mmCIF file of all heavy atoms in Angstrom:
data_model
loop_
_atom_site.group_PDB
_atom_site.id
_atom_site.type_symbol
_atom_site.label_atom_id
_atom_site.label_comp_id
_atom_site.label_asym_id
_atom_site.label_seq_id
_atom_site.Cartn_x
_atom_site.Cartn_y
_atom_site.Cartn_z
ATOM 1 N N ASP A 183 -16.093 37.863 49.013
ATOM 2 C CA ASP A 183 -17.372 37.606 49.675
ATOM 3 C C ASP A 183 -17.627 36.113 49.817
ATOM 4 O O ASP A 183 -18.122 35.645 50.853
ATOM 5 C CB ASP A 183 -18.504 38.265 48.894
ATOM 6 C CG ASP A 183 -18.401 39.785 48.898
ATOM 7 O OD1 ASP A 183 -17.641 40.320 49.736
ATOM 8 O OD2 ASP A 183 -19.048 40.432 48.052
ATOM 9 N N ALA A 184 -17.275 35.346 48.766
ATOM 10 C CA ALA A 184 -17.499 33.898 48.826
ATOM 11 C C ALA A 184 -16.592 33.224 49.850
ATOM 12 O O ALA A 184 -16.944 32.161 50.380
ATOM 13 C CB ALA A 184 -17.268 33.283 47.446
ATOM 14 N N ALA A 185 -15.457 33.830 50.150
ATOM 15 C CA ALA A 185 -14.519 33.263 51.136
ATOM 16 C C ALA A 185 -14.809 33.729 52.553
ATOM 17 O O ALA A 185 -13.990 33.499 53.448
ATOM 18 C CB ALA A 185 -13.093 33.613 50.747
ATOM 19 N N GLY A 186 -15.938 34.380 52.776
ATOM 20 C CA GLY A 186 -16.278 34.865 54.107
ATOM 21 C C GLY A 186 -15.590 36.155 54.490
ATOM 22 O O GLY A 186 -15.435 36.450 55.680
ATOM 23 N N ARG A 187 -15.166 36.942 53.504
ATOM 24 C CA ARG A 187 -14.479 38.208 53.749
ATOM 25 C C ARG A 187 -15.330 39.385 53.283
ATOM 26 O O ARG A 187 -14.808 40.363 52.726
ATOM 27 C CB ARG A 187 -13.131 38.221 53.025
ATOM 28 C CG ARG A 187 -12.145 37.155 53.504
ATOM 29 C CD ARG A 187 -10.951 37.070 52.586
ATOM 30 N NE ARG A 187 -9.944 36.141 53.072
ATOM 31 C CZ ARG A 187 -8.819 36.502 53.687
ATOM 32 N NH1 ARG A 187 -8.555 37.782 53.899
ATOM 33 N NH2 ARG A 187 -7.942 35.600 54.097
ATOM 34 N N ALA A 188 -16.629 39.316 53.508
ATOM 35 C CA ALA A 188 -17.518 40.386 53.048
ATOM 36 C C ALA A 188 -17.210 41.711 53.735
ATOM 37 O O ALA A 188 -17.432 42.781 53.155
ATOM 38 C CB ALA A 188 -18.976 39.991 53.285
ATOM 39 N N GLY A 189 -16.695 41.674 54.945
ATOM 40 C CA GLY A 189 -16.379 42.902 55.654
ATOM 41 C C GLY A 189 -15.006 43.467 55.361
ATOM 42 O O GLY A 189 -14.664 44.537 55.887
ATOM 43 N N GLN A 190 -14.221 42.783 54.537
ATOM 44 C CA GLN A 190 -12.867 43.257 54.228
ATOM 45 C C GLN A 190 -12.927 44.303 53.128
ATOM 46 O O GLN A 190 -13.577 44.134 52.102
ATOM 47 C CB GLN A 190 -11.974 42.097 53.807
ATOM 48 C CG GLN A 190 -10.514 42.473 53.645
ATOM 49 C CD GLN A 190 -9.639 41.259 53.386
ATOM 50 O OE1 GLN A 190 -10.125 40.175 53.086
ATOM 51 N NE2 GLN A 190 -8.325 41.443 53.508
ATOM 52 N N LEU A 191 -12.221 45.389 53.315
ATOM 53 C CA LEU A 191 -12.201 46.482 52.356
ATOM 54 C C LEU A 191 -11.313 46.116 51.173
ATOM 55 O O LEU A 191 -10.217 45.585 51.345
ATOM 56 C CB LEU A 191 -11.686 47.752 53.029
ATOM 57 C CG LEU A 191 -11.989 49.086 52.350
ATOM 58 C CD1 LEU A 191 -13.485 49.348 52.315
ATOM 59 C CD2 LEU A 191 -11.257 50.217 53.076
ATOM 60 N N LEU A 192 -11.788 46.402 49.960
ATOM 61 C CA LEU A 192 -11.040 46.153 48.732
ATOM 62 C C LEU A 192 -10.606 47.490 48.158
ATOM 63 O O LEU A 192 -11.439 48.307 47.753
ATOM 64 C CB LEU A 192 -11.881 45.383 47.718
ATOM 65 C CG LEU A 192 -11.205 45.073 46.373
ATOM 66 C CD1 LEU A 192 -10.015 44.149 46.565
ATOM 67 C CD2 LEU A 192 -12.192 44.461 45.386
ATOM 68 N N VAL A 193 -9.298 47.726 48.125
ATOM 69 C CA VAL A 193 -8.734 48.993 47.664
ATOM 70 C C VAL A 193 -8.041 48.748 46.326
ATOM 71 O O VAL A 193 -7.213 47.843 46.208
ATOM 72 C CB VAL A 193 -7.735 49.565 48.683
ATOM 73 C CG1 VAL A 193 -7.174 50.901 48.202
ATOM 74 C CG2 VAL A 193 -8.404 49.727 50.044
ATOM 75 N N THR A 194 -8.375 49.562 45.318
ATOM 76 C CA THR A 194 -7.809 49.441 43.978
ATOM 77 C C THR A 194 -6.958 50.657 43.671
ATOM 78 O O THR A 194 -7.407 51.799 43.844
ATOM 79 C CB THR A 194 -8.914 49.305 42.922
ATOM 80 O OG1 THR A 194 -9.759 48.202 43.259
ATOM 81 C CG2 THR A 194 -8.318 49.076 41.546
ATOM 82 N N LEU A 195 -5.724 50.418 43.210
ATOM 83 C CA LEU A 195 -4.800 51.476 42.815
ATOM 84 C C LEU A 195 -4.721 51.521 41.300
ATOM 85 O O LEU A 195 -4.593 50.482 40.647
ATOM 86 C CB LEU A 195 -3.405 51.235 43.402
ATOM 87 C CG LEU A 195 -3.308 51.007 44.911
ATOM 88 C CD1 LEU A 195 -1.867 50.674 45.297
ATOM 89 C CD2 LEU A 195 -3.791 52.213 45.679
ATOM 90 N N GLY A 196 -4.792 52.728 40.738
ATOM 91 C CA GLY A 196 -4.720 52.872 39.287
ATOM 92 C C GLY A 196 -4.165 54.221 38.898
ATOM 93 O O GLY A 196 -4.205 55.183 39.677
ATOM 94 N N ASP A 197 -3.638 54.299 37.683
ATOM 95 C CA ASP A 197 -3.125 55.571 37.191
ATOM 96 C C ASP A 197 -4.245 56.359 36.527
ATOM 97 O O ASP A 197 -5.426 56.049 36.690
ATOM 98 C CB ASP A 197 -1.949 55.337 36.235
ATOM 99 C CG ASP A 197 -2.334 54.442 35.052
ATOM 100 O OD1 ASP A 197 -3.534 54.196 34.856
ATOM 101 O OD2 ASP A 197 -1.424 53.999 34.328
ATOM 102 N N GLY A 198 -3.894 57.368 35.751
ATOM 103 C CA GLY A 198 -4.897 58.247 35.171
ATOM 104 C C GLY A 198 -5.827 57.585 34.176
ATOM 105 O O GLY A 198 -6.921 58.101 33.918
ATOM 106 N N ALA A 199 -5.427 56.446 33.598
ATOM 107 C CA ALA A 199 -6.294 55.771 32.631
ATOM 108 C C ALA A 199 -7.543 55.195 33.275
ATOM 109 O O ALA A 199 -8.513 54.870 32.568
ATOM 110 C CB ALA A 199 -5.515 54.663 31.922
ATOM 111 N N TYR A 200 -7.567 55.054 34.599
ATOM 112 C CA TYR A 200 -8.689 54.433 35.290
ATOM 113 C C TYR A 200 -9.539 55.454 36.042
ATOM 114 O O TYR A 200 -10.439 55.070 36.782
ATOM 115 C CB TYR A 200 -8.170 53.361 36.244
ATOM 116 C CG TYR A 200 -7.321 52.350 35.525
ATOM 117 C CD1 TYR A 200 -5.936 52.439 35.548
ATOM 118 C CD2 TYR A 200 -7.906 51.334 34.778
ATOM 119 C CE1 TYR A 200 -5.145 51.532 34.852
ATOM 120 C CE2 TYR A 200 -7.127 50.423 34.088
ATOM 121 C CZ TYR A 200 -5.745 50.536 34.129
ATOM 122 O OH TYR A 200 -4.969 49.644 33.433
ATOM 123 N N ASP A 201 -9.269 56.715 35.832
ATOM 124 C CA ASP A 201 -10.141 57.769 36.352
ATOM 125 C C ASP A 201 -11.251 58.004 35.338
ATOM 126 O O ASP A 201 -11.299 59.011 34.630
ATOM 127 C CB ASP A 201 -9.328 59.042 36.608
ATOM 128 C CG ASP A 201 -10.204 60.191 37.098
ATOM 129 O OD1 ASP A 201 -11.288 59.916 37.656
ATOM 130 O OD2 ASP A 201 -9.811 61.360 36.901
#
Side-chain angles (χ1 to χ4, degrees):
D183 295 344
R187 297 170 175 258
Q190 188 173 13
L191 199 64
L192 179 64
V193 181
T194 305
L195 307 175
D197 57 12
Y200 305 98
D201 178 24

